Amino acid sequence: MSHARRPATFGIAVLLAVAVAGCGGSSTPGAAVHVSGPTVTIKDFAFSPDTLHVKVGATVTFVEEDTVPHNATGSGDASFIKSPTLSKGQTYTVTFTKPGTYPYTCTIHPYMHGAVVVSK
C-alpha cells in the first residue's frame, strides 16, 4: 500500500494554525464578539462594569469595543492581570482562583480603572 507524502509546508501550515488557534485572549479585530460568562466591556475610555463581582474559579473576558487600543493591567495581588494591548474586537480572558479584590487599570490611559471582586 502506497501512502502519498504531503509537502513539508503542509505540516508547517497545520502547526501554525494550531498555534494561532491555541493562543487565548484575542479574536479578529473588528469582528463581532460573542462571549458567555462574566464580561468587562472596554468602550468610551471606560471599563464596564467598573466593578465586577464573580465567584472563585470564574473566567472573566475583557472585550475591547473602543476605537482606540486599551489594555487591562493589575498590580500587587492582581499582577496576574496582564492583557496585551487590545484593538477593537479583541478579547482577553483571565481566571480568578482566590477570593479578593483585584484592581486593574489601562496603562495606556491611566485614568481608566476597574476591579474584579471575587468571593467564595
Side-chain angles (χ1 to χ4, degrees):
M1 178 184 254
S2 159
H3 289 72
R5 292 190 55 150
R6 292 187 177 117
T9 54
F10 176 81
I12 293 169
V14 169
L15 287 174
L16 286 173
V18 169
V20 170
C23 293
S26 67
S27 59
T28 305
V33 178
H34 303 285
V35 179
S36 61
T39 304
V40 174
T41 302
I42 308 168
K43 188 173 183 179
D44 298 328
F45 291 87
F47 295 105
S48 180
D50 59 353
T51 303
L52 178 67
H53 295 267
V54 299
K55 297 288 186 186
V56 169
T59 298
V60 174
T61 302
F62 291 80
V63 179
E64 166 61 292
E65 293 185 0
D66 217 340
T67 56
V68 298
H70 297 289
N71 64 31
T73 304
S75 61
D77 289 343
S79 63
F80 62 92
I81 304 172
K82 292 181 183 177
S83 81
T85 299
L86 302 171
S87 296
K88 188 171 185 171
Q90 292 184 312
T91 63
Y92 167 72
T93 59
V94 61
T95 300
F96 293 84
T97 60
K98 294 182 186 178
T101 299
Y102 300 94
Y104 55 86
T105 188
C106 173
T107 61
I108 303 166
H109 308 100
Y111 52 85
M112 292 174 57
H113 298 276
V116 176
V117 178
V118 182
S119 61
K120 291 183 179 183

